[in-house]
Amino acid sequence: VSNVRRFSMACPAIPTCGLAIAESERVLPRLLDQLDAELKRLGLQEEKLSVRMTGCPNGCARPYQSDIGIVGRSGDKFTLFVGGRILGDRLNFPLRDLVPQAEIIPLLVVLLEAFKADRQPEESFGDWCHRQGPEKLQALLPESKPAAHATNRLPALAAEEVIVPATNGHGKATAISHSIAVPAEPVVALVPVTDLKHLKRRETLLQGPA
């Protein structure tokens, strides 16, 4: 058993836990296979790395204290944490949010290569990440790709003519030309409700002993 497997942990997540919003227990072995191969390629297979993965932010496998924490966010997206310690006595910090499962190991490999070149004697991966800090580590990573559905949400404006009934007393309708945006897909907008009076149907007041 490799060191990275020895110190790894995952919560049950999907399909056992009703709180899970992403995979964990069934996915971690495949991620460790890839990570083991990369560590061996870099000559870091003897490093003690704690990898903790959970299927939701509740963190039942203690991902927020490990060298590498992988926390489920939605579907196959995860938040990647680094900078903890194998003893579990230091909190890590978020490195990148909404990372697709397929990009977790490639992102970690970028950091492991920099760790190998820049580490101090006997410095662990978590200690190195903690010393570098989130800003320096994020500068090493490639830019995240925008989701395909997030691009071209609103196409070019289209002109439309609307006939407005006359209100000037002359009895003639007025044509007003204006522009409207037709989204390529539904766009959900959250509108704050400032007046709740129309939602109140009935109020009952009780008088006397409870």
Side-chain angles (χ1 to χ4, degrees):
V1 177
S2 65
N3 277 337
V4 70
R5 289 182 185 275
R6 178 185 175 190
F7 298 107
S8 68
M9 187 184 299
C11 73
I14 295 173
T16 306
C17 178
L19 299 177
I21 54 178
E23 289 277 8
S24 178
E25 183 182 51
R26 300 191 296 180
V27 166
L28 184 60
R30 295 201 301 269
L31 293 179
L32 293 180
D33 286 341
Q34 302 172 42
L35 188 55
D36 263 332
E38 294 295 340
L39 289 171
K40 189 175 294 185
R41 180 181 66 84
L42 294 171
L44 299 173
Q45 64 271 19
E46 299 302 322
E47 291 296 317
K48 292 182 178 180
L49 281 174
S50 56
V51 180
R52 306 289 169 83
M53 186 175 190
T54 61
C56 80
N58 286 294
C60 294
R62 302 191 295 278
Y64 306 117
Q65 300 159 293
S66 56
D67 293 289
I68 300 170
I70 307 168
V71 177
R73 286 280 271 113
S74 65
D76 74 332
K77 301 286 197 313
F78 297 82
T79 305
L80 194 58
F81 293 80
V82 294
R85 191 151 48 184
I86 200 168
L87 295 176
D89 58 355
R90 181 178 65 212
L91 292 175
N92 49 28
F93 53 83
L95 180 70
R96 178 169 289 185
D97 193 19
L98 296 174
V99 179
Q101 180 187 316
E103 297 180 14
I104 293 175
I105 301 303
L107 287 179
L108 289 175
V109 168
V110 174
L111 299 187
L112 288 168
E113 290 174 344
F115 161 67
K116 180 181 178 180
D118 186 52
R119 68 184 300 187
Q120 295 177 353
E122 305 300 323
E123 187 176 33
S124 68
F125 178 71
D127 290 339
W128 178 80
C129 291
H130 181 74
R131 177 167 63 88
Q132 298 298 317
E135 289 79 13
K136 286 186 178 180
L137 295 185
Q138 288 166 4
L140 296 173
L141 301 179
E143 293 185 6
S144 58
K145 300 177 182 178
H149 62 78
T151 58
N152 300 326
R153 303 238 356 150
L154 293 176
L157 297 179
E160 183 182 79
E161 189 174 76
V162 178
I163 305 300
V164 180
T167 57
N168 55 9
H170 297 290
K172 294 182 179 180
T174 304
I176 300 176
S177 180
H178 71 294
S179 297
I180 60 172
V182 183
E185 59 179 293
V187 177
V188 179
L190 298 179
V191 180
V193 178
T194 57
D195 185 8
L196 298 178
K197 292 181 179 179
H198 66 283
L199 298 179
K200 190 173 182 179
R201 301 297 179 86
R202 184 174 60 184
E203 185 178 58
T204 303
L205 299 178
L206 301 178
Q207 184 177 4

